[in-house]
């Protein structure tokens, strides 16, 4: 017995329309079955946990000395273009990332121990890994 034979008594009846409720549009009907985020923020937490951070590098005495010599040079010469690699601490988890920046040094602030670049970027002395004069 086929499906059309099994339901032959009701298959040609008119579609029921409620007299109390308005007809639902196809868009609203489809929205009932659309996916939703049962755990709000779960995907963001997974992405954050998967993001890798590094520990800050420990410099030996020769590296520290080389950075110090370049800082002394920069403090005596204005507007020098440099490339610096420094460690930027992560705001959300332990560790951070190594960042390379090329720019012109506006000021060497020896009191607050920081480099100030013309674009407003500030790099603290203790974050420096390498300075390259360009």
């Amino acid at each position: 017995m086929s499906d059309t034979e099994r339901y032959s008594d009701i298959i040609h009846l008119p579609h029921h329309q409620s007299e109390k409720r308005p007809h639902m549009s196809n868009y609203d009907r489809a929205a009932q079955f659309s996916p939703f985020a049962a755990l709000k923020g779960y995907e963001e937490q997974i992405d954050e946990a998967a993001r890798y951070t590094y520990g800050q590098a420990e410099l030996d005495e020769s590296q520290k000395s080389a950075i110090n010599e370049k800082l002394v040079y920069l403090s005596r010469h204005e507007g020098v273009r440099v490339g610096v690699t420094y460690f930027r601490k992560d705001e959300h988890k332990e560790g951070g990332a190594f960042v390379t920046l090329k720019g012109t040094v506006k000021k060497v602030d020896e009191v607050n121990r920081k480099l100030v670049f013309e674009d407003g970027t500030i790099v603290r002395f203790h974050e420096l890994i390498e300075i390259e004069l360009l």
Side-chain angles (χ1 to χ4, degrees):
M1 179 185 265
S2 71
D3 284 345
T4 54
E5 291 173 359
R6 270 201 282 168
Y7 298 107
S8 64
D9 59 331
I10 62 168
I11 201 160
H12 296 295
L13 291 176
H15 179 71
H16 173 71
Q17 290 286 358
S18 173
E19 293 176 10
K20 296 179 182 177
R21 301 185 192 275
H23 180 70
M24 184 182 287
S25 70
N26 285 341
Y27 179 79
D28 291 337
R29 185 178 300 280
Q32 295 180 75
F33 304 104
S34 64
F36 68 99
L39 300 172
K40 190 171 185 170
Y42 179 72
E43 287 296 323
E44 290 82 8
Q45 287 184 355
I46 294 294
D47 292 342
E48 178 64 22
R51 189 172 55 83
Y52 190 77
T53 58
Y54 299 92
Q56 187 166 7
E58 291 294 324
L59 303 178
D60 62 29
E61 290 305 316
S62 65
Q63 291 170 314
K64 289 179 184 178
S65 178
I67 288 173
N68 191 43
E69 287 175 19
K70 290 177 183 169
L71 287 172
V72 169
Y73 176 83
L74 292 173
S75 67
R76 295 181 181 157
H77 299 84
E78 292 184 11
V80 178
R81 186 159 168 77
V82 296
V84 296
T85 301
Y86 65 99
F87 181 78
R88 181 173 49 201
K89 190 172 179 176
D90 195 288
E91 296 177 6
H92 302 291
K93 60 198 268 187
E94 191 173 327
F98 295 101
V99 179
T100 301
L101 168 71
K102 291 183 180 180
T104 303
V105 176
K106 179 179 176 182
K107 179 181 179 184
V108 177
D109 185 347
E110 295 175 27
V111 174
N112 296 311
R113 302 185 47 79
K114 63 185 177 182
L115 282 177
V116 180
F117 287 82
E118 284 187 346
D119 67 357
T121 304
I122 294 173
V123 178
R124 305 216 175 267
F125 290 176
H126 70 274
E127 298 170 334
L128 288 167
I129 305 298
E130 182 180 10
I131 302 175
E132 179 185 1
L133 302 174
L134 302 178

